[in-house]
Amino acid sequence: MRLIDLSVPVATGMPVYPGDPRVAIAPALSVAADGVNVLHLDMGSQSGTHVDAPFHIDDALPTLDQLPLERFWGRAVVVDVRGAEPRAPLGPSLFEASWSESRPRAGDILLVATGWSRHWGGEDYLAHPYLTPEAAELLVAAGIRTVGIDALSVDPTPADDFPAHRILCGAHAVIAENLTGLDPLLDAQTAGEPIEVSLLPLRLPAADGAPVRAVARVG
């Protein structure tokens, strides 16, 4: 059994979704002056590797603390779409082709491996592939209620609307974004090793989402 970190580092000036609060981290207390080291964190709820609650796109949908913990921890299936072009729509056929070898069960965590995390920190990161509404509907129909992607969003960036978000969140699903390091999971899946993923967020009451330390357990 081995653990694999799927999270980006949280640091001052890190990439954020256009218009979101910038991330700034600075010392608040120091051992020399105060006897302890404490950091001051200034960041938005959607910073870094994070999860979206349905409330993120609709005031009438569940907030982060209203979702069952099972949404954030469980068996994972990884879909390999690393050959996708910039800003490519990821339609249902890509998922159905992948499922011929490893089909998800209702309640599984579905991870979309675009390979776009290699562009983290650069301008190309915004030109990521994204889910079509039809793909989102396919996942919902399959009983998937947790979808993660190694890109900035499941919808295009920038966007006038968020159809994939609306379909997934409308089904009370959780969306994890800005994952990284999914390649080893694809290798493990090909080798037939079981994969379990934790996406447990900070416990923020009435929140739209929160940063996570995403971790996979393989084997």
Side-chain angles (χ1 to χ4, degrees):
M1 187 272 288
R2 61 191 187 278
L3 299 178
I4 300 173
D5 197 337
L6 308 178
S7 313
V8 297
V10 178
T12 297
M14 68 188 295
V16 297
Y17 193 86
D20 276 12
R22 306 297 297 178
V23 176
I25 302 174
L29 303 175
S30 69
V31 169
D34 309 289
V36 293
N37 287 316
V38 174
L39 288 175
H40 176 92
L41 310 180
D42 192 351
M43 59 195 297
S45 57
Q46 304 281 319
S47 299
T49 304
H50 67 274
V51 290
D52 296 351
F55 180 72
H56 180 48
I57 55 92
D58 192 324
D59 289 344
L61 293 175
T63 57
L64 194 64
D65 55 329
Q66 292 174 329
L67 296 170
L69 288 175
E70 287 78 8
R71 291 280 196 278
F72 307 100
W73 190 345
R75 177 181 181 265
V77 172
V78 193
V79 175
D80 187 359
V81 293
R82 290 175 295 179
E85 296 293 326
R87 302 193 187 281
L90 305 175
S93 61
L94 293 172
F95 294 86
E96 291 168 334
S98 173
W99 291 355
S100 63
E101 297 181 358
S102 182
R103 187 171 186 85
R105 301 189 296 254
D108 281 352
I109 294 174
L110 194 287
L111 303 181
V112 184
T114 68
W116 226 252
S117 57
R118 69 185 183 275
H119 298 299
W120 175 254
E123 291 185 5
D124 289 342
Y125 193 62
L126 276 67
H128 57 83
Y130 60 91
L131 272 62
T132 64
E134 294 80 10
E137 289 169 350
L138 175 72
L139 300 184
V140 168
I144 302 301
R145 293 298 180 269
T146 308
V147 178
I149 191 168
D150 57 349
L152 187 57
S153 175
V154 294
D155 284 298
T157 303
D160 296 325
D161 193 16
F162 304 92
H165 274 84
R166 294 191 184 283
I167 291 165
L168 294 170
C169 291
H172 295 190
V174 167
I175 302 170
E177 294 164 327
N178 291 327
L179 295 170
T180 191
L182 298 186
D183 289 359
L185 302 192
L186 286 165
D187 295 338
Q189 183 170 268
T190 300
E193 295 183 86
I195 303 170
E196 189 176 71
V197 168
S198 168
L199 301 167
L200 293 171
L202 297 174
R203 191 172 183 179
L204 297 176
D208 59 280
V212 304
R213 182 70 179 267
V215 176
R217 183 168 68 179
V218 175

